[in-house]
């Protein structure tokens, strides 16, 4: 069997090795990890991967940073994310435990890279429940760190906790955790980040988390309670500085009335689309549809549609409006999730949507 050329690097990645040799070796591995084939080659050498993980806590910052960047590259590929999660490094902890420890340490440099690695690992569907098993006891701490924007004292902003939470919210256990008092409802802490000007990553993660919760119809009633005020946080990114007639303005939630003239809409297309998909999910039950109508959602979407240029987002908007403008006897179902659509009609609707997007 041919020797693995990467084995030659092992001697330079030991804790006692010279800093410059460790740094050069890691930089060489980062170059290898630039392709999927290179990542697969690295993954075949478990000792190399374990050594890289050990070096993420090296006293020399340039060494630790290079090791973390390498792991970001590896976990960017689904296979790398899955293999890294299986690994038990020399510390006997999982990589998830190790990197959560970095995130929860206010004096840890390069904690942002740890967040990115966990975001990559949790993005893979088959990893989610395994990660929840490990993270379930750390969730409140992670959320508290996320909401304390000045937590890390070494310059890390920890923005990538947001997409990690969004990924984890694909799990029913996390959706339950988000919506139950423990001692406070965790979701409440995420809501202000739906329109957080400081980071599109935080905004996207917050909206993505809420959208995932709406996939569970059982939480819709909770989501639309006045205590949560979800509509205010969901709709404000879709609103500009337009004026509404008094009779329309009066129907809007208080927080959405008489916005300042400098108010701008969300600039990120994907976030705007996720918000509309969330509203669409909230249209499943009659009770929720009536709540959206009573709170002026149609008026906001009417003005938003005039402004929106992207055809996929315009279509997502129209899908919600089409439901809200109908009377309930026209909708014809208490629960739209129970309506069965024949396969041929699904195909027809998908074709119509594609044609709309391509011709708009």
């Amino acid at each position: 069997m041919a020797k693995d050329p990467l084995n030659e690097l092992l001697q330079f990645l030991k804790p006692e090795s010279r800093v410059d040799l460790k740094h050069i070796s890691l930089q060489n591995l980062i170059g290898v990890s630039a392709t999927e084939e290179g990542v697969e080659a690295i993954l075949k050498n478990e000792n190399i991967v374990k050594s890289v993980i050990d070096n993420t806590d090296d006293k020399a910052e340039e060494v630790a940073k290079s090791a973390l960047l390498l792991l970001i590259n590896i976990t960017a590929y689904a296979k790398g994310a899955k293999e890294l999660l299986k690994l038990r490094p020399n510390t006997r902890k999982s990589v998830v435990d190790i990197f959560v420890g970095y995130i929860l340490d206010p004096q840890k440099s390069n904690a942002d890279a740890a967040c990115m690695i966990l975001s990559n690992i949790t993005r893979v569907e088959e990893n989610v429940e395994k990660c929840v098993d490990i993270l379930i006891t750390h969730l409140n701490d992670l959320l508290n760190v996320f909401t304390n924007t000045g937590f890390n004292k070494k310059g890390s902003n920890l923005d990538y906790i947001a997409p990690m939470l969004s990924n984890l919210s694909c799990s029913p256990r996390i959706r339950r955790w988000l919506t139950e008092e423990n001692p406070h409802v965790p979701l409440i802490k995420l809501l202000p980040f739906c329109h957080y000007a400081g980071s599109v990553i935080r905004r996207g993660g917050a909206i993505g988390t809420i959208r995932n919760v709406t996939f569970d119809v059982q939480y819709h009633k909770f989501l639309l309670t006045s205590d949560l005020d979800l509509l205010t946080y969901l709709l404000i990114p879709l609103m500009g500085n337009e004026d509404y007639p008094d009779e329309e303005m009066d129907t809007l939630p208080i927080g959405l009335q008489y916005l300042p003239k400098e108010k701008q809409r969300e600039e990120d297309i994907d976030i705007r689309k996720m918000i509309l998909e969330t509203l669409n999910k909230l249209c499943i039950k009659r009770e929720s549809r009536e709540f959206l109508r009573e709170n002026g959602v149609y008026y906001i979407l009417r003005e938003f549609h005039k402004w929106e240029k992207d055809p996929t987002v315009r279509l997502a908007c129209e899908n919600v409006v089409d439901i809200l403008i109908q009377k309930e006897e026209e909708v014809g179902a208490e629960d739209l999730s129970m309506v069965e659509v024949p396969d041929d009609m699904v195909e027809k609707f998908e074709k119509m949507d594609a044609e709309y997007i391509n011709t708009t």
Side-chain angles (χ1 to χ4, degrees):
M1 182 182 292
K3 289 185 177 180
D4 185 345
L6 295 182
N7 281 331
E8 296 179 10
L9 296 178
L10 280 172
Q11 60 183 313
F12 305 122
L13 293 174
K14 294 178 180 178
E16 65 273 17
S17 298
R18 282 169 32 195
V19 169
D20 60 332
L21 294 179
K22 284 191 278 191
H23 188 229
I24 291 171
S25 299
L26 288 166
Q27 287 297 311
N28 285 335
L29 287 169
I30 287 173
V32 175
S33 71
T35 66
E36 189 169 4
E37 293 77 12
V39 168
E40 290 182 356
I42 294 172
L43 290 172
K44 289 177 183 176
N45 195 317
E46 187 173 306
N47 289 327
I48 283 284
V49 179
K50 286 183 176 181
S51 294
V52 171
I53 294 170
D54 289 342
N55 276 286
T56 62
D57 200 29
D58 197 90
K59 293 180 181 179
E61 185 172 340
E62 65 268 31
V63 171
K65 183 177 181 179
S66 294
L68 287 162
L69 289 175
L70 174 56
L71 293 178
I72 290 173
N73 286 357
I74 289 174
T75 55
Y77 296 97
K79 183 176 181 180
K82 287 187 279 190
E83 291 300 317
L84 205 65
L85 183 58
K86 294 177 186 175
L87 203 62
R88 285 293 181 275
N90 297 334
T91 58
R92 298 186 183 277
K93 291 182 178 180
S94 75
V95 292
V96 174
D97 284 312
I98 292 170
F99 296 133
V100 166
Y102 293 178
I103 294 169
L104 297 181
D105 180 355
Q107 299 299 325
K108 191 69 176 178
S109 299
N110 303 310
D112 282 337
C115 293
M116 292 179 193
I117 293 167
L118 290 183
S119 177
N120 284 347
I121 290 174
T122 56
R123 188 175 58 193
V124 178
E125 185 177 356
E126 67 182 73
N127 282 354
V128 171
E129 293 300 338
K130 297 172 187 175
C131 289
V132 172
D133 289 339
I134 301 168
L135 289 169
I136 197 74
T137 59
H138 300 295
L139 290 174
N140 285 328
D141 290 336
L142 285 169
L143 186 58
N144 288 336
V145 164
F146 176 73
T147 55
N148 179 2
T149 53
F151 174 80
N152 186 278
K153 308 308 179 187
K154 297 294 184 178
S156 292
N157 55 47
L158 309 181
D159 289 347
Y160 277 86
I161 292 177
M164 179 181 69
L165 289 173
S166 179
N167 296 337
L168 291 171
S169 65
C170 292
S171 165
R173 286 186 286 167
I174 298 301
R175 295 196 289 268
R176 185 169 60 250
W177 168 74
L178 283 164
T179 55
E180 292 182 349
E181 293 188 13
N182 185 28
H184 306 291
V185 177
L187 190 63
I188 291 175
K189 292 186 176 182
L190 272 184
L191 294 179
F193 293 97
C194 292
H195 55 93
Y196 179 70
S199 170
V200 67
I201 296 166
R202 284 182 178 244
R203 296 198 304 274
I207 295 293
T209 302
I210 295 166
R211 182 190 59 173
N212 287 344
V213 174
T214 63
F215 277 87
D216 264 346
V217 179
Q218 63 176 312
Y219 298 122
H220 286 192
K221 188 171 183 179
F222 159 78
L223 289 172
L224 295 177
T225 56
S226 57
D227 290 343
L228 202 63
D229 198 23
L230 175 66
L231 281 186
T232 295
Y233 294 100
L234 270 185
L235 292 171
I236 201 166
L238 301 183
M239 298 181 70
N241 60 2
E242 55 275 343
D243 291 321
Y244 294 89
D246 289 344
E247 63 272 16
E248 294 181 0
M249 186 72 78
D250 289 344
T251 66
L252 305 184
I254 295 295
L256 301 179
Q257 296 181 14
Y258 304 105
L259 298 179
K261 289 297 180 184
E262 61 270 20
K263 174 68 176 69
Q264 299 291 316
R265 287 185 170 88
E266 169 59 55
E267 61 186 21
D268 187 88
I269 290 175
D270 291 332
I271 292 177
R272 298 199 301 271
K273 187 179 179 185
M274 280 195 293
I275 292 172
L276 292 161
E277 290 169 347
T278 303
L279 291 170
N280 199 321
K281 286 294 181 184
L282 290 172
C283 287
I284 288 176
K285 291 273 194 173
R286 175 174 182 160
E287 182 181 5
S288 300
R289 294 192 294 270
E290 291 179 340
F291 184 85
L292 298 187
R293 294 187 188 105
E294 291 166 2
N295 283 270
V297 173
Y298 165 72
Y299 303 131
I300 293 171
L301 296 186
R302 179 192 66 199
E303 298 305 313
F304 171 78
H305 189 268
K306 295 175 184 176
W307 173 89
E308 181 59 63
K309 298 295 187 291
D310 184 86
T312 59
V313 182
R314 284 173 64 90
L315 178 60
C317 180
E318 291 170 16
N319 288 340
V320 181
V321 169
D322 286 345
I323 297 172
L324 295 181
I325 61 174
Q326 295 183 70
K327 296 179 180 178
E328 279 305 316
E329 53 267 28
E330 295 173 316
V331 175
E334 291 283 328
D335 185 340
L336 294 178
S337 66
M338 303 303 292
V339 177
E340 293 187 11
V341 182
D343 291 342
D344 60 323
M345 293 303 295
V346 171
E347 185 177 343
K348 181 180 178 180
F349 292 145
E350 290 175 347
K351 184 177 180 182
M352 290 171 62
D353 287 350
E355 289 174 353
Y356 174 92
I357 292 169
N358 292 330
T359 58
T360 302

